[in-house]
Amino acid sequence: MALDDSVSQLAGVGPKTVTALGDLGIHTLRELLFYFPFRYDDLKARPLAELQDQEKALFKGVVISEPVISRFGPHKIRLNVRLLIDSVAVIATFFNQPWLKDKFVPDEEVAIYGKWNEPQKRVVGMKVITQQTQNELDPIYSVNKGMRQKKLISLIQTAFKQEAAGLVDVIPAEIRQHYRLLTDFELVRQMHFPRNQAESTAARRTAIFREFFLFEVQIAQLRQQDQDPEQGLVLPYQLAPLRQFIGTLPFKLTAAQKRVVNEICADLKAPAHMNRLLQGDVGSGKTVVAAIAMFAAVTAGFQAALMVPTEILAEQHFQKLSRLFAPMQVTVTLLTGSLKPAEREQALQAIKSGRTNIVIGTHALIQSGVAFKALGFVVIDEQHRFGVNQRRALREKGQNPDVLAMTATPIPRTLAITTYGEMAISTIDELPAGRRPIETHWLKTNQANQALALTEQQLAQGDQAFVIAPLISDSDQVNLKNAEDLYERLTKYFGARYQVALLHGQMTPADKEATMAAFSQGQVQVLVATTVVEVGVDVPNANVMLIFNADRFGLATLHQLRGRVGRGQRQAYCYLIADPTNEVAVKRMEIMTATNDGFVLAEADLKLRGQGDIFGDKQSGLPEFRLGDPITNNNTLMAAHQVAEELITADPTLRQPDHQGLAQYLRAQQAADQFD
Ligand code: ADP
Ligand code: MG
């Protein structure tokens, strides 16, 4: 058995367990060992007198009564037992765990973990701590219905016993010693079974470094490839058709758009591999620039691909680019996960035969069945939403095609270096002429009707409105319920005067598409949505953005949402409905009402996040990590960046003996990513 074997190799793991683990992202034994707890219950016993009401803690005492089991309600069972803790008689109560009865023997010591009810002198017990589990810290994992804590822990224990000895360190010994990091074996042990707080802290520190290090090594490898002129592609585009295409556009390019088009075209023509980041505020016109660059690649005899993070966006870009390219005899194909088998087959054929020039899709583009005739240029929209391996996979679809990454959220230079790997950067720092700044107002929840009345005034002038439903919890179910409630409320409010529709993440792609189309075409005037509209959706007639519970969103997301409106010639409005409960959230609302400038907002966002604002979000322009945060753990990120650079410069193909653990890990990782 080996670390990269399927978890099904483990004793007692059948198909059901495999599926449940798969839902948690665990397929191999290695992934199981590196599935870390997100927190620990502190099992250090503390004196009763120190505890607050409702605080969770470990209680150690002597059993002073027989346990008593009673039933109440149709299916509820209660177990009560009296304990003497710190010379206080306390009742311990467990619900629906009658089998715990045997654990309570009068006059014997017992340890339980539970919640302290001070007024009643009662512990509502959660678990009985046995001798074996008596560590100070009890790991808590993120689990699901098919995979409970206990089962997961026992699987991890088994895997640890059988496989942990085979772990080869991915961080070379010299680096590990220099930064006083743990070996992979110790990391895994101290994460899952820490003997004390110090062990768990050390494990976390190593885990964050290791996560950043692996990321940085891959970025460094990509960059290394870029520096090899042999690895690049020359795209000798034709100027005449390119000029002609630009002439067919319904508007004149801004000076900034012209400048970045020139920067990109120079890269296309040059033999070195292009790896450029295009940043520009929402609405600054990045899509057109991407279209011009893709068209250039086509005139050079190559195919081009545009990869976007969501199906709605793919669909939108497909519509839009098909229209733009209509006069130019360019064939555009859409490839998403929700195509019907026959459509998919047709699309794949067109891509493979070269009949299609431009492919637009989601990460469906990088699946193993997709083959291009001659992919020369790739555009990745919202690139931080894709992992390093996904970026690499798209490159491997061609002979190392030139890459243009786009982001609507500018990030400071130092963070760009560590998270984007010193890409060349082009910036669109100008909005198309005639755009008026969006007027943003912040209202309290009890003023929501005022916002609705203002919205109705706009609707009366022929505008359309987005309404973003509150995001109250982490649960999709709860948020969906909120969106549905809001939809009903607005349907009643607007009555027969305006048509309201609901768009949310759990709809089928076909339903989403139909709803979006009805809104785009103006059959629907008010679109109630969860944040699925967050990126890129372009409906020029939408001039009102009404966001409920706006304080629940990060600045980057708020700015992106606001950027959905004000794309036409008329004045647009954004209403933030929020009753923020802390100072940082208040600041977020104030900054939103004060500026429309994405660069100013991005800086404010980083500052607030540095102050402990945890609203890091998908729109922040930064890649997502599981453990580390690029801002709070910035020093670690910088260190990992530097050592990864040095390592790849010295040993680009990872041949040195001390780099074998790393090489093996990256190979396994890339193989695993091919499955998705
Ligand atoms: P981004 O992707 O940067 O948010 P888009 O490319 O979607 O922005 O452009 C926003 C809107 O502005 C679109 O409706 C687009 O057609 C329009 N647009 C782009 N460039 C110009 C321009 N130079 N002049 C006028 N309108 C433009
Ligand atoms: Mg866009």
Side-chain angles (χ1 to χ4, degrees), residues 282-283 286-287 313 317 381-382 406 408 535-537 564 567:
V282 260
K286 294 185 291 296
T287 312
L313 254 187
H317 276 121
D381 199 7
E382 302 290 327
M406 304 201 291
V535 269
V537 176
R564 299 305 114 220
R567 296 182 161 225

Side-chain angles (χ1 to χ4, degrees), residues 250-255 257 280-289 316-317 320 324 381-382 406-408 428 431-433 435 536-540 560 563-564 567-569:
F251 42 71
K252 280 181 65 178
L253 295 181
T254 62
Q257 283 172 318
D281 211 346
V282 260
S284 63
K286 294 185 291 296
T287 312
V288 188
V289 169
Q316 270 241 334
H317 276 121
K320 196 163 165 180
L324 282 181
D381 199 7
E382 302 290 327
M406 304 201 291
T407 172
I428 307 184
L431 293 180
R435 289 273 170 82
V537 176
D538 191 21
V539 180
Q560 286 288 317
R564 299 305 114 220
R567 296 182 161 225
Q569 295 297 317

Side-chain angles (χ1 to χ4, degrees), residues 330-632:
V330 168
T331 317
V332 187
T333 297
L334 176 69
L335 188 71
T336 63
S338 62
L339 291 186
K340 296 192 190 79
E343 293 170 331
R344 181 181 158 79
E345 204 37 55
Q346 216 176 3
L348 291 180
Q349 255 333 83
I351 297 169
K352 197 171 167 188
S353 68
R355 207 163 53 244
T356 196
N357 307 110
I358 290 179
V359 187
I360 295 163
T362 54
H363 53 264
L365 276 176
I366 48 178
Q367 282 169 339
S368 44
V370 186
F372 288 80
K373 174 113 185 289
L375 181 62
F377 180 54
V378 164
V379 183
I380 306 179
D381 199 7
E382 302 290 327
Q383 100 138 354
H384 58 278
R385 303 276 296 263
F386 297 97
V388 182
N389 278 323
Q390 292 174 317
R391 288 188 232 163
R392 181 204 307 270
L394 192 52
R395 285 181 176 204
E396 285 169 0
K397 292 289 176 194
Q399 288 100 38
N400 203 17
D402 280 354
V403 176
L404 178 70
M406 304 201 291
T407 172
T409 317
I411 55 176
R413 185 74 203 144
T414 48
L415 269 169
I417 289 172
T418 45
T419 56
Y420 291 120
E422 279 173 345
M423 289 173 148
I425 294 182
S426 288
T427 306
I428 307 184
D429 49 9
E430 172 188 14
L431 293 180
R435 289 273 170 82
R436 300 188 214 189
I438 300 160
E439 251 183 55
T440 303
H441 300 279
W442 166 26
L443 299 131
K444 298 290 172 62
T445 304
N446 61 18
Q447 299 171 300
N449 275 341
Q450 221 171 302
L452 287 177
L454 289 165
T455 301
E456 180 148 13
Q457 284 177 16
Q458 291 309 117
L459 296 178
Q461 295 179 33
D463 288 346
Q464 288 169 277
F466 286 107
V467 180
I468 304 301
L471 182 81
I472 291 192
S473 84
D474 287 339
S475 142
D476 277 349
Q477 293 300 329
V478 175
N479 292 326
L480 177 54
K481 177 84 173 56
N482 295 328
E484 281 167 344
D485 288 349
L486 183 62
Y487 166 69
E488 264 169 40
R489 178 172 155 204
L490 294 193
T491 307
K492 258 191 220 129
Y493 183 93
F494 289 115
R497 303 191 299 287
Y498 299 104
Q499 198 65 36
V500 184
L502 175 63
L503 183 72
H504 60 78
Q506 291 175 27
M507 286 162 64
T508 65
D511 285 349
K512 277 189 211 166
E513 220 173 89
T515 305
M516 252 344 273
F519 187 63
S520 289
Q521 290 154 20
Q523 290 139 11
V524 163
Q525 289 82 42
V526 180
L527 186 67
V528 178
T530 53
T531 42
V532 287
V533 298
E534 61 186 327
V535 269
V537 176
D538 191 21
V539 180
N541 197 43
N543 272 325
V544 180
M545 172 59 69
L546 176 58
I547 306 174
F548 279 85
N549 281 44
D551 53 320
R552 299 287 311 196
F553 298 106
L555 272 180
T557 297
L558 289 174
H559 182 58
Q560 286 288 317
L561 286 170
R562 177 169 61 182
R564 299 305 114 220
V565 300
R567 296 182 161 225
Q569 295 297 317
R570 297 152 57 101
Q571 179 61 51
Y573 301 87
C574 174
Y575 302 112
L576 306 170
I577 309 227
D579 307 321
T581 52
N582 63 62
E583 213 177 300
V584 179
V586 169
K587 276 210 192 111
R588 266 192 264 121
M589 297 305 109
E590 289 173 352
I591 294 167
M592 278 297 291
T593 54
T595 183
N596 269 290
D597 186 328
F599 287 78
V600 174
L601 280 162
E603 252 164 48
D605 190 27
L606 290 176
K607 236 185 249 151
L608 290 180
R609 287 178 70 190
Q611 287 174 24
D613 189 17
I614 40 123
F615 282 84
D617 56 57
K618 284 200 166 72
Q619 298 303 320
S620 69
L622 296 170
E624 286 168 68
F625 294 94
R626 265 164 73 179
L627 299 153
D629 178 85
I631 294 164
T632 37

